[in-house]
Amino acid sequence: MFLFRRNGPRVTVDEARSRTSGDRPDAVLLDVREKPEWNSGHAPGAVHVPLTKLVVGATLPAEAEGRPLVVICRSGHRSQQAAKLLAERGAQAVDVEGGMNAWAAAGHPVVDERGNSGQIA
């Protein structure tokens, strides 16, 4: 299922959605973009912790603790950093190739902070 690259395991947006959606998802979608980006548009059901906070030691929200993580950002760069950092802390983490740009381009849903149709900023 994983595509292994020099920087660690990556998944496609379709794999990410499959792993993190439905009644019993096997992983948590962790969005590591900054708050204004999150507010503008994110995947429904995603959990938010900006990379800047993870770097300084922020913990994961309860719903993500001890669960496999599928990490996403806008384009895939920050999520690679976050997945590596989280793996070093003992988490099972992969990042999403192409990030939220690829997610939206694939036609997957995007919602804003109020749950309305969102956009990627």
Side-chain angles (χ1 to χ4, degrees), residues 23-79:
D23 293 336
R24 298 184 67 167
D26 70 296
V28 172
L29 187 62
L30 179 67
D31 192 318
V32 297
R33 296 175 300 146
E34 294 301 316
K35 186 140 179 88
E37 295 172 289
W38 166 266
N39 289 345
S40 179
H42 57 272
V47 174
H48 181 235
V49 180
L51 175 60
T52 53
K53 292 190 179 203
L54 287 173
V55 167
V56 296
T59 59
L60 294 171
E63 61 266 42
E65 281 292 330
R67 304 262 328 268
L69 303 170
V70 176
V71 186
I72 197 165
C73 66
R74 184 177 60 229
S75 65
H77 180 71
R78 286 174 284 180
S79 60

Side-chain angles (χ1 to χ4, degrees), residues 73-98:
C73 66
R74 184 177 60 229
S75 65
H77 180 71
R78 286 174 284 180
S79 60
Q80 281 184 318
Q81 293 175 308
K84 181 179 180 199
L85 175 71
L86 291 163
E88 289 170 355
R89 293 181 186 173
Q92 182 183 346
V94 297
D95 84 285
V96 180
E97 191 168 16

Side-chain angles (χ1 to χ4, degrees), residues 2-10 80 97:
F2 300 124
L3 302 173
F4 289 96
R5 300 239 172 142
R6 155 180 97 173
N7 293 325
R10 304 191 88 184
Q80 281 184 318
E97 191 168 16

